[in-house]
Amino acid sequence: MKYTTFIGEGYNGGSVTRKDERTLHCRITVDLHTEHSLQQSAIEHIYTDALLSGAGKYDRAAFIDAINTLGASIGVSIQNSRLTITLRSIEENVSKLLKLFEIMMNDPKFTSTELQRIQTQATNELIEHKENAKAIAHENFENSLYGTTDRRYTNTPEQISAEIMKATSANLKQLHATAKKGIWTVTIGANTTTVQKVRKSIVICKKGQKSVTLLRTHAQKPQIQKTVLQNIPSKQNIEFAIGTSLPLTLHHPDYLPFVFGLSVLGKWGGFTGRLMSTVREKEGLTYGIYAKTESVEGEEQGHYRIMTFFAPDKAVQGLTSTLREIKKIHKNGITQSEYHRFQTILKTQQTLLADSLTRSVDTLHGYLCADFSLEEIDEYKSRLMTVSRKEINHALKTHLHPDKLIISGAGPTDIMKKELLKIR
Amino acid sequence: MSKKLNTSKQIPGFTFVKKLKGISEYTLKTNGLTVLHKEMSDTRVVTSNITYNVGARDELQGESGIAHMLEHMLFKPTKQDLKRKIDSSAMQFERDTGCNLNATTSTDRTTYYFNYPAVYLSRALQIESERMQDVVLSNKEFTPERNNVLSEFDMLNGDPYFALHTQMMCVAFLSHSYGHETIGFREDIEQYTPEKLNLFYKNYYRPDNATLSIIGDVSVEDALTTVKTHFAQLKNPQVTIPRHSIIEPKQEGVRRTEVIRPTSTNILALGVKHTGFPSQDWFTAAILFSILSEGPDSILHKKLVDTGLATSVDSTIAPTTETNLGTIFITLAPDQHHTSTEEKVFEILQSLTTKEIQKLLRSTVASELTDKLFTEGNSLRLAMNLTEYISANAWGKYIQVESILKAITVADVLKLNKTLFDKSQMTIGYFIGEK
């Protein structure tokens, strides 16, 4: 696989090419965030569906059919005010797919009929959302860390539903204009000919658009210790999000050592982290427990989060064990053997990327969205290999803050409420 | 389909069986282990995947989920690990190297995989060979792991779709062992003992009941030589592999069930009995399910979700070798009722037109073929996809998928729609939310 980067008018990005590759996997991201508001949040909530609901001469059904007939897909999602469009196709149909993508970006319809459909559908989905314990634990956790103007703040389903019903086609058009004017990050996985085709298509979409850099508001709250519980009696397990603010950007010298150290505590996926070895394997208290940093960006500070769940009767024991492991790694740091082991683990993860074009593109896209050049990516990766154990343990000691954790639980919490609130 | 049976590479110790589209099949002479190999060069990555022909269907009453529990135990120490004084070489492998590993159990098979840099091939295969017969099933390892399985059960059971599906399977099958979920019932899980697990392990984990796939950046010579090093000494037990051949009694009328929980969610589920995988009818049923319920252009989505009658529509159809229950789930919008939605759905199913099916058939087949091409560039995904065909003892069918799908006609889909959604042969479930 060959990695390259490029810069164009109103966009930048990179490609992962493989000779004789017969598929295209492309991601395009644009940051829409200025200041989080309820209205903005509601419009973003329905924009993803609206964008796929008819463009040019196509009504919604015809547009979706035109994409599906190719066996291709255009995915649209928004997370924390970042719009991401995913294009996927076999090589033979790339040109036709790109034509549809251009029509979608240059001439979306946002008709009132479709808006009404989306409003009803979105409202129904938000009612369902109230039972999603994992998502609710996560949202309550982030709402404890960020103020209402921050992009990571989530309004209640009722608030968003009410605002969605007020949305107009003009609101959608305005958001779309913002999306077109923003700087696009484009990552393409394909053969070199297809990469050129995608780049031409991006140029067509960005033509005549004067790029705008948006002023962004961040509102990280001071760190405090807090337990938030939301009772959802229909669930069997209590979902937890545990962690605290991480007042670092990607470029802070402590960030990478912290990521390394946090991997030792609870590497996301698999069984290698300490939390999986102890809380799951030795103690049998949960099926999965992982830790990672989130929403730390080039210019934005984020947090770290441990994600797990426990049966109500094991929740006290499970939380106690989790906190014990956090305190232990905070106090003693990682061991020399863990340090060497995780160097190998992180190196293997890099090697395994070569097995999947999709994962390679997604990984490169993550770096490019954080404004890394290829050289910086290489530096970053090699730094992951050369960071010292002392630096890692210093970062854990400075930023883990076991005394300032937010513990957010959602599920049948009322059964154990008193006991859970006592845990520190 | 490639008609050419490519010339074999003779590898000492193996019998060549066939080669189709770059995938070769061999049998290890000493014990009958089946080995599949496909080279994907220049990635420096290999996936090895072993599939045992044993799953939830092989479980006895009162021991539901034991195949899955055993799958968990294969990540525990072997006799060799105890001598080495390490926890478990499978887990140690991941912890030392960062390779990807996991396992899955279904009704018909249990599968374990490692995905790793090619230099670790020998280590991965050694672990796989040792844990085929030498895992130590002691109480010390078993008790906490059973708690993890109970935790997994609770995680699944918290999902209303799972809870309803579990009940529907029980009702749909009076006798056949497909009538329970792979994870089993909580009450059964609580009753397992290491002895029960051990008996199951001895019965089914043996070279002549397994297929090992090696896909990635390794030549056939290197792959098979390494297989021989680690697997040739394994022996099959003298006992015959126990198989339960059960014929499900004839269904004489619609079967219904309900699950009631304190929630706002309400679901209508329609279960139909489809033929086994990988028959032409199974693929037609899968296409029909997709046309009805997958994506915003599917028929039920347009007529129920777009109109505000439902919140979502989804479906599941498993690639099992015998007749099984495929299910369409419709999550009701607030203020909608199960009975009226059920009537509406049957109205829709009875009025499907050639025109709408034609369009969706074309796009569904195109989408499936695109997925297949994406799969083929990734050793792990290819190995996982092949697994279902291996389980059905028909991996060669994987090569034929394109022609199978392209042969499906609108008439086939409409005919099957009529057969499958004959109410008297269906199982209908209501998940009722009571606040």
Side-chain angles (χ1 to χ4, degrees), chain B residues 70-355:
Chain B
L70 185 59
E71 173 219 302
H72 277 241
M73 295 307 291
L74 255 73
F75 293 90
K76 300 298 175 189
T78 59
K79 288 174 191 165
Q80 294 84 347
D81 293 335
L82 295 184
K83 281 183 196 160
R84 292 179 194 121
K85 297 189 175 166
I86 61 171
D87 263 358
S88 145
S89 49
M91 301 303 274
Q92 192 82 36
F93 184 33
E94 193 214 12
R95 289 187 180 132
D96 286 349
T97 68
C99 70
N100 294 323
L101 60 79
N102 216 331
T104 58
T105 308
S106 74
T107 47
D108 298 338
R109 52 116 193 124
T110 311
T111 300
Y112 303 82
Y113 71 79
F114 293 114
N115 170 240
Y116 45 84
V119 292
Y120 296 125
L121 173 71
S122 182
R123 183 168 174 183
L125 296 189
Q126 182 181 354
I127 295 164
E128 214 56 90
S129 74
E130 288 177 357
R131 68 177 173 171
M132 184 183 281
Q133 295 179 324
D134 288 340
V135 171
V136 181
L137 297 168
S138 67
N139 258 320
K140 182 189 159 213
E141 300 290 346
F142 166 72
T143 307
E145 198 55 41
R146 181 174 53 190
N147 287 339
N148 291 331
V149 171
L150 288 169
S151 173
E152 186 182 0
F153 176 89
D154 291 339
M155 174 185 78
L156 294 171
N157 197 37
D159 175 12
Y161 300 93
F162 176 88
L164 181 58
H165 194 251
T166 302
Q167 294 283 345
M168 287 174 70
M169 294 297 277
C170 295
V171 174
F173 293 100
L174 302 180
S175 171
H176 196 281
S177 50
Y178 279 176
H180 65 269
E181 296 288 344
T182 301
I183 196 162
F185 300 108
R186 201 177 207 286
E187 292 71 13
D188 287 352
I189 300 170
E190 286 168 345
Q191 295 303 315
Y192 300 154
T193 61
E195 291 72 31
K196 283 181 185 176
L197 280 174
N198 215 23
L199 183 63
F200 199 81
Y201 185 38
K202 298 294 171 214
N203 280 337
Y204 296 102
Y205 280 65
R206 43 193 286 168
D208 62 354
N209 195 37
T211 300
L212 174 66
S213 306
I214 300 173
I215 298 170
D217 202 352
V218 56
S219 69
V220 68
E221 292 86 353
D222 289 350
L224 268 68
T225 306
T226 317
V227 171
K228 194 177 150 197
T229 304
H230 296 297
F231 286 86
Q233 81 289 359
L234 296 180
K235 292 190 168 46
N236 294 304
Q238 293 296 314
V239 293
T240 317
I241 300 169
R243 297 290 181 203
H244 319 299
S245 178
I246 299 166
I247 298 167
E248 175 65 19
K250 190 179 161 191
Q251 182 167 343
E252 297 177 294
V254 62
R255 294 179 187 168
R256 292 180 179 275
T257 187
E258 287 179 357
V259 175
I260 302 169
R261 283 192 184 172
T263 168
S264 55
T265 303
N266 281 284
I267 302 163
L268 162 69
L270 304 177
V272 300
K273 282 183 179 158
H274 59 79
T275 54
F277 178 82
S279 65
Q280 182 81 33
D281 263 7
W282 185 91
F283 283 98
T284 309
I287 293 287
L288 171 63
F289 267 44
S290 185
I291 285 171
L292 290 174
S293 58
E294 297 293 323
D297 61 336
S298 63
I299 290 168
L300 291 175
H301 194 283
K302 275 185 185 165
K303 296 188 176 172
L304 298 174
V305 180
D306 287 359
T307 55
L309 296 173
T311 305
S312 65
V313 177
D314 209 346
S315 64
T316 169
I317 175 167
T320 52
T321 53
E322 289 188 50
T323 292
N324 204 348
L325 196 73
T327 309
I328 292 179
F329 295 98
I330 297 146
T331 310
L332 309 189
D335 306 324
Q336 294 301 313
H337 301 284
H338 294 85
T339 44
S340 55
T341 308
E342 186 185 321
E343 280 169 25
K344 175 80 184 166
V345 173
F346 277 100
E347 260 174 47
I348 295 167
L349 291 170
Q350 281 156 13
S351 59
L352 297 182
T353 65
T354 301
K355 196 180 162 193

Side-chain angles (χ1 to χ4, degrees), chain A residues 146-389:
Chain A
Y146 302 101
T148 53
T149 57
D150 194 279
R151 64 164 89 206
R152 289 151 290 194
Y153 186 86
T154 306
N155 297 91
T156 65
E158 289 81 4
Q159 288 172 323
I160 299 173
S161 287
E163 203 61 33
I164 281 173
M165 296 315 286
K166 296 180 202 162
T168 64
S169 295
N171 296 140
L172 289 165
K173 283 176 187 161
Q174 197 183 350
L175 184 64
H176 186 65
T178 309
K180 283 199 74 178
K181 282 180 192 165
I183 305 286
W184 291 10
T185 304
V186 181
T187 312
I188 310 160
N191 60 42
T192 47
T193 313
T194 302
V195 169
Q196 290 311 316
K197 283 185 188 172
V198 177
R199 287 193 62 186
K200 273 186 193 163
S201 187
I202 301 293
V203 170
I204 291 169
C205 293
K206 295 294 286 181
K207 198 175 171 186
Q209 296 294 321
K210 201 175 170 189
S211 294
V212 179
T213 306
L214 302 170
L215 285 173
R216 309 191 197 286
T217 301
H218 314 302
Q220 201 158 31
K221 291 179 184 171
Q223 290 174 322
I224 50 157
Q225 189 175 55
K226 189 177 168 188
T227 300
V228 194
L229 300 175
Q230 186 157 334
N231 190 44
I232 306 174
S234 63
K235 295 291 162 187
Q236 314 281 308
N237 284 321
I238 305 175
E239 299 280 348
F240 283 98
I242 303 156
T244 191
S245 304
L246 188 61
L248 308 173
T249 63
L250 278 180
H251 305 286
H252 191 286
D254 279 357
Y255 179 67
L256 217 140
F258 186 82
V259 168
F260 193 118
L262 199 67
S263 289
V264 176
L265 178 66
K267 182 181 160 290
W268 204 266
F271 303 84
T272 52
R274 278 193 194 182
L275 290 168
M276 279 297 273
S277 312
T278 54
V279 185
R280 175 187 152 129
E281 277 194 61
K282 289 202 175 72
E283 299 172 69
L285 296 170
T286 183
Y287 183 65
I289 180 160
Y290 301 109
K292 67 173 174 182
T293 64
E294 285 179 322
S295 69
V296 175
E297 305 287 341
E299 295 171 357
E300 211 165 85
Q301 301 172 344
H303 57 265
Y304 79 86
R305 173 170 67 105
I306 293 166
M307 180 211 73
T308 188
F309 58 85
F310 302 112
D313 63 336
K314 293 202 167 65
V316 169
Q317 203 186 341
L319 268 185
T320 307
S321 294
T322 306
L323 298 187
R324 179 197 67 220
E325 293 302 321
I326 298 171
K327 286 171 189 165
K328 193 171 156 193
I329 205 167
H330 175 256
K331 187 180 171 199
N332 303 326
I334 66 167
T335 65
Q336 190 66 25
S337 99
E338 284 173 327
Y339 171 65
H340 290 305
R341 206 156 51 78
F342 272 78
Q343 279 187 320
T344 309
I345 288 169
L346 296 169
K347 201 171 157 191
T348 296
Q349 296 299 312
Q350 297 299 327
T351 307
L352 293 181
L353 282 179
D355 195 30
S356 163
L357 182 70
T358 306
R359 268 198 292 149
S360 301
V361 168
D362 293 350
T363 305
L364 177 62
H365 192 65
Y367 282 118
L368 296 176
C369 285
D371 287 334
F372 278 61
S373 66
L374 282 183
E375 292 73 26
E376 284 170 324
I377 294 169
D378 284 342
E379 264 176 44
Y380 192 83
K381 285 179 189 169
S382 74
R383 170 106 175 99
L384 212 49
M385 293 297 123
T386 55
V387 61
S388 71
R389 187 176 150 225

